[in-house]
Amino acid sequence: MNDLSPLDVSSATPLVPDEGVANLSRRRFLGVASGALVLAVALPHRRALAQAEGAGAIAPKPGTRVPAFLELRPDGSVKLLSAFIEGGQGINTAMAQIVGEELDVDPARFEVECAPPGPDYALVNGLRMTGGSFSTRSSYAAMRRLGATAREMLIRAAAGRLKVQDGELSTEDGKVVHAASGRSLSYGELAGEALLLQPKEEVPLRDPATFRYIRKPVARLDVRDKSTGKAVYAIDQKVDGMLYAAVTHAPVFGTEPEALDNEAEVKAMPGVHSVHRLPSAVAVAADSWWRARQAVEALKVRWSEPPKDGLDAMSSSFSSESLLATLKGAKEKGLPSETEGDADAAFAKAAKVIEAEYDAPYLAHAQLEPPSSIARFNPDGTLDLWVPNQMPELFQAVAAKTAGLSPEQVKIHSPLLGGFFGRHFMYGPSNPFPQAIVLAKATGKPVKVLWSREEEFLNDAVRPLSFSRFRAALDASGQPTAIEVKTVGEGPIARWFGAIFKNPVDSSAVEGIVEKPYAIPNRKMEFLKIAHPVNIAFWRSVGHSMNDFFYESFFDEIAEAGGKDPFELRLALLKDKPRHLNLLKAAAELSGGWKRGPYDAEGGKRARGVAMASPFGSETATIAEVSIAGGEAKVHQLWIAIDPGSIVNPAIVKAQVESAAALGLSSALFEQVVYKNGERQAKNYDAYKILSRDHMPEVHVTIIESGEPMGGIGEPGLPGVPPAVANALAALSGQRVRSLPMANTKLSGA
């Protein structure tokens, strides 16, 4: 047996070290074909590079924090090295549209790949990551400039070749054209000469009124490969001579394997190469994954004993129920997260005061592709790592530390993601790649670690369980004069990005509760941190995923207490917020006009609920239509108006809103990770219920482009769905669901 001592991959390891991502690597990662033109948009204080094999570097105008690389090859092919990782959100297509618009190349002709690690890619607040609905909005301006700069250099190169003035030339889908003489040159023919030119400090951008690709429903670049099975995910990848490893994790998070009672038997099983202890896990390496899994499941492991109680580590008495009781019972005063006006005075003279408590459970990512990684040590001492991730530079740094190498010795391969929205950040023991590295080092062979579905459900980092207590003051006319909220729990930003974001109030714990647009004059919000012993994570729309449910549901309680229609009260409190007001009206118009109900419809009574959300720079208004059958909610239709400011691809926007709505509904109706006696109860989809086709409603989407700064798309469609459904159920039945998932509440008919 190989006893592999624990490495520094614990849940306490921050996502970003104190020195920041910019110091993780200074290596140049561009390998270009002979004669290729390569442009990079650089970080501040660095200059974009234009280089070719055998030619000196030329320094063009410095860019903004938007790293990207464009290759124009002599054969006419176009390749874009993207700072972002494709995981079904359509970012590769969006990048091709933006660059193609200014470069004057049809996006369909682009090949887009994820760029390798390097400091030039840290475009999101000084970091490189694919997440937070940041990708398109953070790179839009620089990618346009990149395409325009390349086009201008190609025109100058063509002018020299054709001996004409720049102004006599135009471009047309990968060609520079001299209309007067009928001559043209392909971009590939010009790449070598263009390469030698100094990029201009300023280049003209296309008038948006003439866009051909941006704001158009351009077909996804990855559809054909995904439809024909050619797309390669991490689970599909293989390297020569590799072993397969299966893993069994400790049933109680943080406990360790102390003894293996039948190790000799397992070693003798067919195809088994070796048996290993890992931090909080055991593994078997074999010549096939099935044999490895059979062997690791046959191991008789004695695990160390967890603490009996407490929250400093996972205890044998820990449960979701006990943690919620702890959050509810916390009496300490929290830190101010939003303060406006004088809430105490407003409550003192209120005609009516209402209170309510809301909670939401732990949630798994429950991705379709179980996580896997391949590690291979090479004869020259370098390491190749194939790893699903959302932050290549960070994974490179952690991999280097795990392997005892420098970051320059680690080559990261970032495949398509078969699961997304927070699952592939760095969560210590919830990532399989450190296991692959230590097993490859121990065996002397490349090793692919693939977690079974059960191991993924056991060891996935989860959305935090959360609790908030609300109070509202109303005047004699039923208008809200003050709102007070105390949120208790923990958010993932402080857990994983605490080295960068120093604010004592974790924004990911209170977003969706603070900075709401409604004109309630007195607001007093606070946050009390109580750390979880659970490995917590980002989850699609993060804090908004539960907090908008809390706030927007309580808003309807305010309306009810004041004798107001909740839609009309929202209109009244948004009268000075034209963007939100227009969006709310657009959602109502999309639904055929606001009507709360109950009202008669096919199959019985139905009702509608409304909710608003402001996630990730975008705004949404959602209306849900529901009925009740057999004590359960049935959602028939969702109408969602989204204002992301401006867009790149309306088809992708619509698809992302629809998928977010599906996940939002799944979390509202069914999903929950339950702990008892320190152990997770659900090990597969049979116990972790998700939305089925039978429960999927019709989703109608309208896109409003207000012209405000571009917001996110991947997550904003989710947060409005749970409260809209809860508000509709309250309108229909009079029951107010304040605890998710709704399946835990037996609903009565209208």
Side-chain angles (χ1 to χ4, degrees):
M1 177 188 69
N2 293 288
D3 189 355
L4 303 173
S5 59
L7 296 160
D8 188 12
V9 293
S10 71
S11 62
T13 304
L15 266 174
V16 181
D18 289 338
E19 66 270 20
V21 165
N23 292 324
L24 298 183
S25 173
R26 297 293 179 185
R27 178 182 173 186
R28 265 175 43 192
F29 286 100
L30 277 181
V32 297
S34 177
L37 171 65
V38 182
L39 294 176
V41 181
L43 295 171
H45 315 302
R46 297 176 63 90
R47 297 187 66 80
L49 300 177
Q51 67 180 43
E53 192 170 305
I58 301 173
K61 174 186 176 183
T64 62
R65 295 187 177 188
V66 187
F69 299 96
L70 179 66
E71 295 186 19
L72 303 173
R73 294 164 172 163
D75 64 1
S77 63
V78 179
K79 181 178 181 180
L80 175 64
L81 296 177
S82 171
F84 307 106
I85 296 169
E86 179 64 63
Q89 81 279 37
I91 190 60
N92 284 358
T93 304
M95 293 296 102
Q97 285 181 256
I98 299 167
V99 176
E101 187 69 74
E102 298 293 349
L103 181 61
D104 199 359
V105 175
D106 188 331
R109 295 176 51 201
F110 274 70
E111 174 191 354
V112 183
E113 290 184 3
C114 180
D120 286 337
Y121 297 96
L123 69 99
V124 181
N125 296 324
L127 302 174
R128 180 188 180 186
M129 70 173 184
T130 305
S133 295
F134 268 118
S135 299
T136 301
R137 58 177 165 146
S138 69
S139 61
Y140 180 75
M143 299 308 283
R144 285 187 67 193
R145 187 180 65 251
L146 177 68
T149 299
R151 177 178 175 272
E152 192 279 332
M153 293 170 71
L154 289 159
I155 287 175
R156 279 194 282 144
R161 177 89 70 90
L162 299 175
K163 302 191 183 313
V164 299
Q165 297 298 311
D166 297 0
E168 298 177 45
L169 299 173
S170 61
T171 58
E172 178 185 321
D173 193 16
K175 297 183 297 183
V176 180
V177 178
H178 186 246
S181 65
R183 292 177 293 170
S184 67
L185 294 167
S186 73
Y187 286 177
E189 293 178 84
L190 294 166
E193 288 130 290
L195 165 69
L196 299 175
L197 300 175
Q198 177 76 23
K200 289 189 175 179
E201 291 293 321
E202 299 293 336
V203 291
L205 299 178
R206 181 176 288 276
D207 182 349
T210 67
F211 281 167
R212 300 145 302 165
Y213 308 125
I214 294 176
R215 302 182 69 242
K216 301 296 190 293
V218 171
R220 291 271 299 258
L221 300 182
D222 53 0
V223 167
R224 180 174 293 277
D225 282 355
K226 288 181 176 179
S227 301
T228 58
K230 293 180 180 178
V232 177
Y233 296 88
I235 198 171
D236 303 313
Q237 292 175 321
K238 299 177 182 178
V239 299
D240 290 341
M242 76 179 188
L243 294 171
Y244 294 83
V247 180
T248 294
H249 293 93
V252 177
F253 183 69
T255 57
E256 300 294 340
E258 291 190 333
L260 306 178
D261 292 339
N262 61 338
E263 181 181 344
E265 278 179 48
V266 170
K267 278 185 174 179
M269 291 178 69
V272 169
H273 176 276
S274 48
V275 176
H276 307 267
R277 294 190 205 185
L278 298 171
S280 297
V282 294
V284 171
D287 59 6
S288 75
W289 185 76
W290 180 246
R291 284 177 164 177
R293 180 180 179 180
Q294 286 181 309
V296 80
E297 290 180 350
L299 276 174
K300 296 177 181 177
V301 186
R302 279 182 277 157
W303 301 96
S304 62
E305 290 295 322
K308 294 187 183 302
D309 50 39
L311 295 179
D312 292 336
M314 183 63 71
S315 70
S316 59
S317 62
F318 178 81
S319 68
S320 305
E321 185 178 355
S322 66
L323 181 68
L324 181 57
T326 297
L327 302 187
K328 287 184 174 183
K331 303 301 182 185
E332 302 94 323
K333 185 173 177 59
L335 296 171
S337 54
E338 183 182 15
T339 303
E340 185 69 35
D342 189 341
D344 291 341
F347 277 102
K349 62 182 181 182
K352 180 184 286 189
V353 174
I354 63 170
E355 300 184 10
E357 295 180 347
Y358 282 83
D359 64 84
Y362 291 115
L363 292 182
H365 293 93
Q367 59 178 12
L368 288 179
E369 180 189 13
S372 64
S373 295
I374 300 174
R376 182 185 67 198
F377 286 92
N378 302 310
D380 63 359
T382 60
L383 169 67
D384 277 275
L385 188 66
W386 289 262
V387 55
N389 71 87
Q390 292 177 238
M391 297 183 74
E393 286 76 9
L394 178 62
F395 277 62
Q396 181 189 45
V398 175
K401 188 173 183 180
T402 304
L405 302 173
S406 67
E408 290 77 12
Q409 293 175 286
V410 179
K411 184 176 182 181
I412 296 290
H413 305 267
S414 302
L416 286 171
L417 300 179
F420 210 1
F421 296 108
R423 177 60 185 97
H424 294 297
F425 284 118
M426 179 64 219
Y427 299 126
S430 290
N431 299 92
F433 77 91
Q435 297 173 340
I437 292 170
V438 296
L439 291 171
K441 181 176 281 192
T443 61
K445 293 177 175 291
V447 173
K448 178 172 186 172
V449 172
L450 171 62
W451 288 0
S452 67
R453 179 73 63 196
E454 291 77 10
E455 292 305 313
E456 163 67 348
F457 269 103
L458 176 67
N459 215 45
D460 180 18
V462 294
R463 186 193 77 173
L465 182 152
S466 187
F467 168 76
S468 287
R469 181 177 290 113
F470 288 74
R471 294 176 69 222
L474 287 75
D475 63 19
S477 69
Q479 288 291 117
T481 59
I483 185 167
E484 180 181 281
V485 187
K486 181 178 181 180
T487 298
V488 187
E490 184 183 11
I493 283 183
R495 171 79 71 98
W496 297 112
F497 284 90
I500 290 180
F501 301 103
K502 306 290 189 180
N503 192 328
V505 175
D506 187 340
S507 62
S508 64
V510 297
E511 60 190 7
I513 288 177
V514 301
E515 299 179 357
K516 297 291 281 188
Y518 305 115
I520 300 176
N522 303 290
R523 303 185 294 278
K524 183 181 179 181
M525 316 304 198
E526 63 182 59
F527 169 65
L528 176 63
K529 179 179 178 179
I530 293 182
H532 299 237
V534 174
N535 202 12
I536 62 171
F538 297 91
W539 194 89
R540 194 172 190 175
S541 76
V542 199
H544 287 280
S545 65
M546 59 269 198
N547 289 336
D548 279 301
F549 163 70
F550 297 169
Y551 190 105
E552 292 290 313
S553 296
F554 186 67
F555 187 100
D556 269 37
E557 294 199 61
I558 294 172
E560 185 76 21
K564 312 285 187 184
D565 177 271
F567 181 85
E568 297 297 333
L569 182 59
R570 284 177 172 84
L571 289 178
L573 296 181
L574 294 172
K575 64 182 178 62
D576 296 324
K577 298 288 181 68
R579 183 184 186 188
H580 300 85
L581 192 64
N582 292 339
L583 193 66
L584 183 59
K585 291 178 178 178
E589 182 179 350
L590 183 67
S591 70
W594 169 251
K595 56 178 179 178
R596 190 181 185 212
Y599 52 84
D600 291 323
E602 181 182 352
K605 295 285 187 181
R606 295 184 186 180
R608 295 182 183 181
V610 63
M612 301 196 73
S614 304
F616 306 97
S618 294
E619 302 290 340
T620 64
T622 303
I623 295 175
E625 181 184 59
V626 307
S627 65
I628 297 173
E632 295 184 350
K634 171 68 175 176
V635 182
H636 297 275
Q637 298 193 79
L638 293 170
W639 296 275
I640 302 174
I642 182 168
D643 175 8
S646 60
I647 64 170
V648 171
N649 188 316
I652 290 177
V653 172
K654 184 173 184 290
Q656 284 296 294
V657 173
E658 290 170 343
S659 71
L663 188 54
L665 186 58
S666 185
S667 68
L669 295 182
F670 304 116
E671 294 189 38
Q672 58 181 329
V673 169
V674 176
Y675 282 87
K676 292 182 180 179
N677 301 320
E679 297 185 19
R680 292 188 192 176
Q681 299 303 292
K683 302 295 194 298
N684 211 319
Y685 291 112
D686 58 339
Y688 188 87
K689 189 173 182 181
I690 63 173
L691 193 74
S692 68
R693 292 180 63 184
D694 292 342
H695 290 96
M696 184 67 195
E698 292 183 55
V699 180
H700 312 269
V701 179
T702 187
I703 302 167
I704 308 295
E705 292 188 83
S706 63
E708 293 291 324
M710 184 180 286
I713 289 300
E715 299 169 274
L718 189 151
V721 173
V725 172
N727 290 338
L729 290 171
L732 183 60
S733 68
Q735 284 180 270
R736 172 59 60 183
V737 178
R738 300 188 181 95
S739 179
L740 295 179
M742 296 173 187
N744 291 346
T745 301
K746 181 72 171 179
L747 299 170
S748 60

